[in-house]
Amino acid sequence: MVARRRAEMVEETRAKLIRAARTAFAAKGYAAASMDDLTAEAGLTRGALYHNFGDKKGLLQAVIDQIDAEMLARMRAARGQADTAWDGFLNEGVAYIEMSLEPEIQRIMLLDGPAVLGDPSQWPNQTACLRTTTQAIQRLIDDGTVKPVDAEAAARLINGAALNAALWIAAADDPHAVLTKAVEAFRQLAAGLLRTAG
Amino acid sequence: MVARRRAEMVEETRAKLIRAARTAFAAKGYAAASMDDLTAEAGLTRGALYHNFGDKKGLLQAVIDQIDAEMLARMRAARGQADTAWDGFLNEGVAYIEMSLEPEIQRIMLLDGPAVLGDPSQWPNQTACLRTTTQAIQRLIDDGTVKPVDAEAAARLINGAALNAALWIAAADDPHAVLTKAVEAFRQLAAGLLRTAG
DNA sequence: TCAATACGCATACAGTGCGTATGTTATTTT
DNA sequence: AAAATAACATACGCACTGTATGCGTATTGA
């Protein structure tokens, strides 16, 4: 075994624990996931877990931070692929809905996370995500595309609509059929913010 | 002690347990609420609880059914106080937002409930609530007020927007100031469904 | 280079809470 | 009036979280 720096090994154990926790939380839910089991899955014990993350909630927080960062990156990519600012804004919402189709995101980010850690809009990365959406709306207001509403309020409502759409889709018998209906309704609803009638 | 019918006593026991559970779940959250504690608060033991509700989730389900019925009644009352069908529809959404200001509804209905029992849109009473909203939108489509969108999709998105608005308000420093902004943005957003430009 | 120390993690232990199995009493049923 | 059943209490086992302690190894200083 090559002698590596200690910091590297710490990062590796943290990564292993987070990965095991992601799959365990997604599969069984936060409450039903045993820390003995998931640490064993990672080839470690609970000692490593408490040393690195403090407690079970700390581990969940780390998992959520990681997923949230991934979601933020994917939303930015979706926005970048649009021609106009308004389409980019819509793409963000649609990307959010599509990501929420994934059971892992559903279970961890939309169900257990809020229940254990409280209102998601207070989470560090979520605020970053929300801030970019708010800024996008503000720009659309400034250039006359969108009516002069409170940008943050609009961003939160749009987010909520997308989130609920995602939950609906995931619980549906035919998710992809419902997805198209939800996306269509989402575009109509968002058009309410437009200065010109949709 | 007057000899009462057995069915009356069972109802009384169930009511006492549900009442104690409501306060306990609202105060401590579902996971942190001890069943020994809340049954003792009701002057009973866990035996009564397991006999009447099966398990802890069953008790939560009973609590949620009760609260959900109350919310449905209040939303119907709010709709009845409007002059037009459209205003009635908006009133429903605003009433939903306002109810979610209450910590009990926040904690139990919006945070713990979905995490423990799964997607709220599958709950019996919630579907009733959603159905009335869907029907309201369908009527507005039929009489030409609202664009021809999928009524259920629109209802779910509107619900989600209202829900997120409520969470935002509850976490705010000045809830009532944020409430007005949220309600204003909600009306703008909902106007996206209108056939005539908002 | 070698001792001292701090760090990362494992092990052992105590506390708490859920669910079930069993017991007890009062009300039906026959 | 005796048997049966429902409503609830009591007692027990099991699992899980969090903490305290122990051990090995890497890092630091002289």
Side-chain angles (χ1 to χ4, degrees):
Chain A
M1 175 73 83
V2 179
R4 287 173 301 175
R5 304 237 329 270
R6 174 167 285 200
E8 290 177 10
M9 302 205 53
V10 169
E11 270 318 300
E12 187 175 321
T13 54
R14 289 177 62 95
K16 276 198 276 194
L17 288 172
I18 290 177
R19 198 175 332 146
R22 271 181 77 150
T23 61
F25 290 164
K28 304 181 164 190
Y30 173 80
S34 161
M35 302 177 72
D36 275 322
D37 292 351
L38 72 87
T39 51
E41 193 74 23
L44 297 162
T45 69
R46 287 204 336 252
L49 204 159
Y50 281 97
H51 185 73
N52 282 288
F53 299 101
D55 61 353
K56 194 178 183 183
K57 283 170 69 172
L59 178 60
L60 177 63
Q61 182 72 62
V63 169
I64 282 179
D65 286 347
Q66 189 183 78
I67 297 178
D68 213 357
E70 294 172 10
M71 293 179 70
L72 186 59
R74 288 166 66 176
M75 288 176 69
R76 286 204 170 127
R79 188 178 57 190
Q81 286 184 334
D83 294 332
T84 69
W86 174 250
D87 282 342
F89 171 66
L90 288 182
N91 276 9
E92 268 191 15
V94 173
Y96 186 78
I97 294 176
E98 288 174 343
M99 282 188 284
S100 303
L101 284 173
E102 301 164 26
E104 186 186 48
I105 290 178
Q106 274 243 322
R107 180 82 233 184
I108 299 176
M109 302 298 286
L110 309 182
L111 292 180
D112 286 334
V116 176
L117 301 177
D119 179 32
S121 60
Q122 309 290 339
W123 304 350
N125 281 322
Q126 184 84 3
T127 56
C129 174
L130 186 68
R131 186 162 53 242
T132 64
T133 305
T134 304
Q135 288 169 350
I137 291 178
Q138 190 60 56
R139 276 195 297 274
L140 289 165
I141 293 173
D142 292 340
D143 72 13
T145 307
V146 161
K147 291 184 212 164
V149 298
D150 187 87
E152 185 182 1
R156 288 183 183 271
L157 291 174
I158 287 285
N159 252 344
L163 189 153
N164 229 38
L167 286 174
W168 176 36
I169 291 164
D173 294 330
D174 184 354
H176 288 281
V178 174
L179 174 63
T180 58
K181 287 201 287 187
V183 168
E184 171 62 20
F186 176 75
R187 292 179 186 278
Q188 295 283 355
L189 201 64
L193 298 176
L194 284 174
R195 182 182 287 272
T196 61
Chain B
M1 174 74 81
V2 178
R4 284 173 303 174
R5 304 232 333 267
R6 174 168 282 198
E8 290 176 8
M9 300 205 56
V10 170
E11 270 319 299
E12 187 176 322
T13 303
R14 291 176 60 94
K16 276 197 275 192
L17 287 173
I18 290 177
R19 198 177 329 149
R22 272 181 78 149
T23 60
F25 291 163
K28 303 180 164 188
Y30 173 81
S34 162
M35 301 177 72
D36 276 323
D37 292 350
L38 73 87
T39 51
E41 193 73 25
L44 297 161
T45 69
R46 286 207 330 249
L49 203 159
Y50 280 97
H51 184 74
N52 281 289
F53 299 102
D55 60 352
K56 195 179 183 183
K57 283 169 70 174
L59 179 61
L60 177 62
Q61 182 71 63
V63 169
I64 283 179
D65 286 347
Q66 187 181 82
I67 297 178
D68 212 356
E70 294 172 9
M71 292 179 72
L72 186 59
R74 286 166 66 177
M75 288 176 68
R76 286 206 169 124
R79 188 178 56 188
Q81 286 185 336
D83 294 331
T84 70
W86 175 252
D87 282 341
F89 171 67
L90 288 181
N91 275 10
E92 268 192 15
V94 173
Y96 186 79
I97 295 176
E98 287 174 343
M99 282 189 284
S100 303
L101 283 173
E102 301 163 26
E104 185 187 48
I105 290 178
Q106 274 244 320
R107 180 82 234 181
I108 298 176
M109 302 297 287
L110 309 182
L111 293 180
D112 286 334
V116 176
L117 301 178
D119 178 32
S121 60
Q122 309 291 340
W123 303 351
N125 282 320
Q126 184 85 4
T127 56
C129 173
L130 185 67
R131 187 163 52 241
T132 64
T133 305
T134 304
Q135 288 170 350
I137 291 178
Q138 190 60 55
R139 275 195 297 272
L140 290 165
I141 293 173
D142 292 340
D143 72 12
T145 308
V146 161
K147 291 185 217 165
V149 298
D150 187 87
E152 186 182 1
R156 287 184 183 271
L157 291 174
I158 287 286
N159 252 345
L163 189 154
N164 228 40
L167 286 174
W168 175 36
I169 291 164
D173 294 331
D174 185 352
H176 288 282
V178 173
L179 173 64
T180 58
K181 288 202 286 186
V183 169
E184 172 62 19
F186 176 76
R187 292 179 185 279
Q188 296 283 353
L189 201 63
L193 298 176
L194 283 175
R195 182 182 286 272
T196 61

